[in-house]
Amino acid sequence: MQNEKLIIEESHARERIDKAVAELTGKSRSAIQIMLKSGDITVNGEIAKPNYKVQVGDEIYLEVREPEELEVLAEDIPLDIYFEDKDMLVVNKPEGMVVHPSAGHASGTLVNALLFHCDDLSGINGKIRPGIVHRIDKDTSGLLMVAKNDHAHESLAKQLKDKTSDREYIALVHGDIVHQKGTIEAPIGRAKEDRQKMAVVRDGKEARTHFEVIERLQGYTLINCKLDTGRTHQIRVHLKYIGHPLAGDPKYGPKNTIKGNGQYLHAAKLGFDHPTTNERMTFEAPLPSSFEKALKMLREENL
């Protein structure tokens, strides 16, 4: 167990303790609330109450428990494999599937399925994320690279870092985007008001998204997005930033939106150099049926 000490300054005075501590530590507000309920946070030597409003000079101590190792089990879950050899796989992940296990999703993930399918995955990202080179959100569908050995993992990760791999997404957004094509270049980091969200912030990490309009529909626009960087929730945050949030997005979109299984975002195209042969490889995956159904409905409204 590790102790963490905080001293409250004027900038956080009179804030609820969960909000103040989340902002000062970078932890999520929900994680801080769990610590408060467990009695792992004290203020001036007393166990903190969840609704306490901090004051200037308060000494706050956090007892940070070591995370328990999750037992990751192999599960017989069907995989839509587009390519596989001794070095890697390309998998088309369905919407609704989490990529790797976490405290709230210990089973039913892509990693659980991969462990059943093959016993040789790269160990670079540890036992919770074996073989995972990059990830997409639970409700985003589409193509992912998976490494079977460390050499392949390092090669694929370097291509992502050097921006030599291609990643293209199809997105359905609210409103009519005026420009036929454009680039959104705005830094992304944790949102100040909600640490569970990302946002465009001044001190964030460099992020760049290119877009091009595919089709204009009644109240919506279908676009293609290309990524130069891979920040958490990048496309979702950037499109919200320009006033065109993703349709169906429960975290960054409006309440009045197309109902579905989450955001209408699909990783449609993936290109990279094979880690051993250096052959350029390109894969494309069609839109899931739920996405096609939503587009059909909107096109019929346009008639």
Side-chain angles (χ1 to χ4, degrees):
M1 191 175 292
Q2 299 174 333
N3 290 335
E4 191 170 342
K5 179 182 177 181
L6 305 170
I7 303 292
I8 299 299
E9 298 180 354
E10 181 61 38
S11 58
H12 291 287
R14 295 171 294 282
E15 288 183 348
R16 270 180 58 114
I17 189 168
D18 56 342
K19 182 175 186 291
V21 173
E23 289 177 354
L24 289 167
T25 62
K27 302 179 189 298
S28 71
R29 200 162 172 178
S30 59
I32 298 302
Q33 289 167 350
I34 291 171
M35 293 179 71
L36 286 164
K37 289 178 182 177
S38 301
D40 293 334
I41 299 178
T42 62
V43 178
N44 304 323
E46 301 289 334
I47 293 177
K49 295 181 178 179
N51 61 352
Y52 177 72
K53 292 187 177 181
V54 298
Q55 305 298 319
V56 174
D58 278 351
E59 291 189 0
I60 298 178
Y61 281 88
L62 287 72
E63 290 189 1
V64 182
R65 301 175 186 273
E66 293 295 330
E68 294 182 13
E69 278 289 325
L70 288 174
E71 185 178 1
V72 186
L73 301 175
E75 295 182 64
D76 187 3
I77 302 169
L79 288 172
D80 186 8
I81 297 173
Y82 273 46
F83 171 81
E84 181 176 11
D85 67 4
K86 64 181 179 60
D87 291 306
M88 63 173 299
L89 304 93
V90 174
V91 179
N92 183 24
K93 184 190 83 68
E95 57 192 348
M97 175 182 270
V98 174
V99 171
H100 55 72
S102 63
H105 297 279
S107 64
T109 73
L110 179 62
V111 164
N112 294 113
L114 288 168
L115 288 173
F116 184 90
H117 176 76
C118 56
D119 55 9
D120 51 346
L121 292 170
S122 164
I124 284 179
N125 275 345
K127 63 178 290 187
I128 303 300
R129 303 175 178 86
I132 301 302
V133 181
H134 62 126
R135 59 180 290 275
I136 53 180
D137 297 328
K138 172 189 173 185
D139 295 325
T140 299
S141 56
L143 297 170
L144 284 169
M145 300 179 285
V146 178
K148 286 189 173 184
N149 55 62
D150 290 356
H151 163 72
H153 196 127
E154 288 169 353
S155 171
L156 296 170
K158 187 175 188 300
Q159 292 180 56
L160 289 171
K161 183 180 179 181
D162 294 344
K163 306 177 179 61
T164 57
S165 59
D166 295 321
R167 288 172 293 164
E168 296 186 21
Y169 292 73
I170 304 298
L172 182 65
V173 304
H174 282 268
D176 184 7
I177 296 181
V178 176
H179 303 287
Q180 183 63 26
K181 60 173 65 175
T183 297
I184 309 164
E185 191 164 3
I188 291 176
R190 288 283 172 190
K192 306 300 183 188
E193 70 281 359
D194 184 347
R195 306 299 290 184
Q196 290 184 306
K197 287 185 177 182
M198 307 302 288
V200 170
V201 293
R202 184 178 299 175
D203 58 348
K205 293 182 179 179
E206 173 196 15
R208 189 180 305 106
T209 305
H210 307 284
F211 71 85
E212 184 169 4
V213 172
I214 299 172
E215 185 178 358
R216 300 182 191 278
L217 301 155
Q218 186 66 41
Y220 296 87
T221 307
L222 186 68
I223 63 174
N224 175 280
C225 293
K226 293 183 180 180
L227 294 182
D228 275 356
T229 53
R231 307 305 174 202
T232 302
H233 300 168
Q234 179 173 318
I235 292 176
R236 299 166 72 183
V237 170
H238 269 175
L239 290 171
K240 179 186 178 182
Y241 178 66
I242 66 168
H244 295 283
L246 284 171
D249 193 332
K251 187 180 285 282
Y252 299 101
K255 290 183 179 179
N256 185 17
T257 188
I258 300 175
K259 301 303 179 188
N261 300 319
Q263 64 272 4
Y264 285 88
L265 183 62
H266 175 65
K269 188 174 180 179
L270 185 62
F272 55 88
D273 294 333
H274 189 278
T276 298
T277 67
N278 291 322
E279 176 189 357
R280 190 66 181 179
M281 310 190 78
T282 302
F283 300 91
E284 294 187 48
L287 292 173
S289 58
S290 58
F291 204 141
E292 289 284 13
K293 184 178 178 181
L295 290 177
K296 182 175 184 290
M297 177 190 72
L298 290 172
R299 286 167 183 148
E300 289 173 351
E301 289 179 3
N302 276 8
L303 296 177

